[in-house]
Amino acid sequence: MFNRRDFLNKTILASLAAGVGISSCESKPKQDAAKNNAATTNQSSGEKPEATVIATWKHPDATQKALEVIQNQGRALDGIEAGVRMVEADPLDQSVGYGGLPDRDGIVTLDACVMDEKGNAGCVTFLQHIMHPVSVARKVMEDTPHVMLSGEGALQFALSKGFEKENLLTQAAEERWKEWLKEGTYKPVGGHEQHDTIGMLAIDGNGNLSGACSTSGMAFKMHGRVGDSPIIGAGLYVDNEVGAATATGLGEFVMKTLGAFLIVELMRQGKSPEAACREAALRIAEKYGKANEDMQVGYIALNKKGEYGTYSLHPGFNYSISRKASHEVLDSPYLSASAG
Ligand code: GLY
């Protein structure tokens, strides 16, 4: 298993031996470098970047839908909302929206946020009974003077906007909760391949960036727990002058390092999206060491040129990318040597 001491030792030894930087101990799918290069646009010609949508995990139908909306309607935010709604409505996805796994009391609570090209933001946290928190977050952004609504207040706001109250706990999710109850111990569900959270970023034909993030959060969490996904700067950040980033995985790590904001600021300083995501992942590994052994965090980022990059703590994180007529799911590069 991977711990901080091993990680640092391997890093130092590998760096000394090879005379190169920390990346020598990392495992990285070869295809990513090519894909990132392929995403590069011809900035010297002053051309606008190709409309591009990237999302955490295997959601090529959602990125395709988002891209189609952007190509038809023009605005990145509209595409993103349409794409994320697909995942929220999917009962088979047990970490987002309808069908999401409940907290330890058997209650499904949802978090989401959106951020647009003007720097506007909207969030909902601890929202119950509403299938599309991403759309409620957008309403908070567009129809209120606030950024975040929570719990009962967010529900009342959603109902006032015409959203319907629904039971979000599917039979399959309830069965998994009841199975978990048999153990009776409170322990967050981790694992390198844990799927949680749809984070989606897009750039449209006008070169404008937007993003959204939506989740049912950590499975069997404490009632009232809110993760990184609805927190601007943690689970999502967009700066239309620079780029956008979003996160998936154990939100506590992402919140404590303000991952998405960090990535955008690193891109502002000149790092590529992949290098910025890698540094944010490394920040978690360095600060929290052994604790990240069983807990995954994955980052995706898209810059103003339409270049994208990703990085995760461990293997198992993948992402979906839609551009032109291409809709792919690719493995992310990752930090840890243990599983490489
Ligand atoms: N990243 C989702 C959560 O921790 O709630």
Side-chain angles (χ1 to χ4, degrees), residues 111 196-197 215 217-218 225-229 247-252:
D111 301 328
D196 84 276
T197 309
T215 189
M218 186 190 293
R225 181 263 188 190
V226 170
D228 61 306
S229 302
T248 180
L250 186 64
E252 278 71 8

Side-chain angles (χ1 to χ4, degrees), residues 119-131:
N120 297 314
C123 325
V124 287
T125 73
F126 196 53
L127 177 64
Q128 297 175 40
H129 307 301
I130 303 293
M131 190 180 292

Side-chain angles (χ1 to χ4, degrees), residues 28 50 56 71 73 150 195 210 236 245 263 319:
K28 173 176 172 175
E50 189 74 40
T56 55
Q71 286 165 341
Q73 296 179 23
S150 188
H195 285 226
S210 289
L236 175 75
I263 291 166
Y319 62 99

